[in-house]
Amino acid sequence: EAQVTQNPRYLITVTGKKLTVTCSQNMNHEYMSWYRQDPGLGLRQIYYSMNVEVTDKGDVPEGYKVSRKEKRNFPLILESPSPNQTSLYFCASSAYTGITEAFFGQGTRLTVV
Amino acid sequence: GDSVTQMEGPVTLSEEAFLTINCTYTATGYPSLFWYVQYPGEGLQLLLKATKADDKGSNKGFEATYRKETTSFHLEKGSVQVSDSAVYFCALSGSGANSKLTFGKGITLSVRP
């Protein structure tokens, strides 16, 4: 079954404690990205990756890091989380950009206290 | 830059009512247009898409027509069901090589029996 898997689904952490949200896809997709979803703001792109070892900033990259060492994995790293990073995060993948369908993970609800 | 504007929500309808959700966009070139749906507790999934002017996307009884002259991509369904209750996002993807999905803010639809 084609899917994007994120872990964990829920996470409560304290300010400043480094965390990683994992994302893996089994569709051999080139393009992967991270979004955050906030009430009244819709989805905003954090980072994206066109291929292995190729990553770039999206619209709201501050406070986040990513890496793409393998095609299937695209972890999101928060080196020093702050309360304003409390949000619902989605990983997505697609074969290419443009007209192709994006597949989304089930989301990670992060709370930073 | 690219942007998507959706009508304000939430929307509450009775079962079998007609649904219209408005979406307009601003983009250079010839974007592809999408509607994504997010059911409670899940990630987004593609509902329908249209890749050029006058194309009509359709799926599960939903339809939307790409209107370049009015820069719109309104979502319609003739008879909604309780199971259609979800959050609906209009999105576009630009025509460039590194084009990304730009989302509207989303609108929550609740259908009552």
Side-chain angles (χ1 to χ4, degrees):
Chain A
E1 181 190 352
Q3 59 184 6
V4 177
T5 304
Q6 289 178 234
N7 280 298
R9 292 288 309 276
Y10 302 91
L11 179 60
I12 301 174
T13 190
V14 296
T15 299
K17 184 177 182 182
K18 180 179 178 180
L19 66 91
T20 299
V21 184
T22 64
C23 173
S24 181
Q25 51 95 1
N26 64 359
M27 295 165 280
N28 201 37
H29 283 168
E30 303 276 334
Y31 187 88
M32 297 185 74
S33 56
W34 276 101
Y35 294 86
R36 60 179 289 174
Q37 182 180 10
D38 300 290
L41 296 176
L43 279 84
R44 295 176 293 168
Q45 192 182 55
I46 302 170
Y47 267 94
Y48 66 93
S49 170
M50 300 290 287
N51 211 329
V52 175
E53 303 293 1
V54 180
T55 63
D56 208 347
K57 297 176 181 178
D59 298 318
V60 288
E62 293 77 22
Y64 305 95
K65 285 176 55 178
V66 293
S67 68
R68 188 94 181 271
K69 293 185 170 60
E70 306 164 281
K71 198 171 189 179
R72 63 184 292 126
N73 296 324
F74 191 47
L76 179 69
I77 303 156
L78 284 72
E79 295 269 3
S80 183
S82 62
N84 65 10
Q85 293 179 297
T86 293
S87 187
L88 179 58
Y89 292 87
F90 289 101
C91 180
S93 76
S94 58
Y96 309 101
T97 60
I99 65 172
T100 58
E101 176 181 359
F103 292 81
F104 284 79
Q106 289 193 290
T108 296
R109 185 164 295 281
L110 172 65
T111 302
V112 183
V113 298
Chain B
D2 297 346
S3 66
V4 176
T5 302
Q6 291 184 232
M7 58 185 277
E8 296 285 326
V11 173
T12 302
L13 296 174
S14 297
E15 203 164 26
E16 299 184 2
F18 184 84
L19 169 72
T20 299
I21 301 177
N22 290 340
C23 171
T24 57
Y25 68 90
T26 301
T28 55
Y30 303 93
S32 296
L33 302 175
F34 306 82
W35 277 100
Y36 280 83
V37 59
Q38 182 181 28
Y39 298 105
E42 298 183 12
L44 283 73
Q45 55 187 273
L46 180 67
L47 180 60
L48 54 84
K49 71 179 183 184
T51 59
K52 61 183 188 295
D54 299 324
D55 265 2
K56 177 186 282 188
S58 61
N59 186 24
K60 299 182 181 180
F62 290 89
E63 293 182 339
T65 301
Y66 189 145
R67 300 285 189 203
K68 192 163 179 65
E69 64 276 13
T70 55
T71 61
S72 65
F73 193 54
H74 305 321
L75 183 68
E76 296 184 335
K77 186 174 186 182
S79 176
V80 293
Q81 306 300 312
V82 172
S83 57
D84 293 326
S85 298
V87 182
Y88 292 82
F89 292 92
C90 185
L92 70 81
S93 181
S95 50
N98 294 334
S99 55
K100 64 178 177 69
L101 280 171
T102 298
F103 287 89
K105 294 183 178 180
I107 185 169
T108 300
L109 170 66
S110 298
V111 181
R112 53 178 182 240

